[in-house]
């Protein structure tokens, strides 16, 4: 991972909506927070939405956050207009195993240190 924190969304508290991706990127550009990569960013019609849906398995790539060659867990899908996010979905690959038994066998120290309050 490029850092210990990656941005998927940013909630605009007064409107209660998540900001559109362009605004998320603008807000994060002046910080050290990285925005997760986008694989598809095009307007959708009913026809193109069906085409994208049929391609979802092929959009899964090797995870950029994995130390091995493991496929990404899935895809995070945002549907938005100029004002913000209208809907959010998660497409999980069929071979993903939640709560894997080997989950803790490849732990690497991330060198985060908690500062003690004085």
């Amino acid at each position: 991972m490029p850092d210990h924190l990656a941005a998927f969304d940013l909630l605009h508290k007064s409107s209660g909506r998540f900001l559109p991706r362009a605004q998320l990127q603008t807000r994060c550009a002046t910080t050290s927070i990285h925005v997760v990569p986008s694989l598809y960013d095009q307007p959708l019609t009913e026809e193109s939405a069906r085409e994208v849906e049929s391609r979802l398995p092929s959009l899964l790539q090797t995870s950029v956050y994995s130390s091995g060659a493991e496929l990404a867990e899935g895809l995070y899908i945002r549907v938005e207009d100029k004002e913000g996010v209208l809907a959010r979905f998660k497409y999980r690959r069929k071979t993903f195993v939640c709560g894997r038994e080997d989950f803790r066998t490849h732990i690497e120290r991330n060198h985060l240190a908690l500062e003690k309050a004085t």
Side-chain angles (χ1 to χ4, degrees), residues 11-108:
L11 180 65
H12 188 276
K13 287 177 120 177
S14 47
S15 72
R17 292 184 74 180
F18 290 99
L19 295 178
R21 184 169 177 90
Q23 289 183 34
L24 169 67
Q25 290 173 312
T26 300
R27 301 275 178 102
C28 289
T30 59
T31 73
S32 62
I33 300 171
H34 296 269
V35 178
V36 295
S38 177
L39 301 176
Y40 185 88
D41 188 7
Q42 298 294 322
L44 287 178
T45 63
E46 190 174 325
E47 183 178 323
S48 65
R50 280 194 294 271
E51 190 264 329
V52 169
E53 182 181 15
S54 70
R55 291 183 41 224
L56 287 175
S58 68
L59 290 173
L60 284 172
Q61 302 172 357
T62 301
S63 174
V64 296
Y65 303 116
S66 170
S67 58
E70 184 175 17
L71 280 178
E73 174 184 330
L75 300 169
Y76 172 69
I77 302 164
R78 297 164 45 109
V79 178
E80 61 182 54
D81 61 13
K82 292 178 184 177
E83 304 299 316
V85 176
L86 302 170
R88 304 181 310 161
F89 307 93
K90 185 171 185 179
Y91 173 81
R92 189 174 281 165
R93 65 179 160 90
K94 290 181 180 181
T95 57
F96 177 74
V97 178
C98 185
R100 299 183 330 212
E101 289 184 20
D102 70 336
F103 185 72
R104 297 188 181 268
T105 61
H106 305 292
I107 295 174
E108 295 180 27

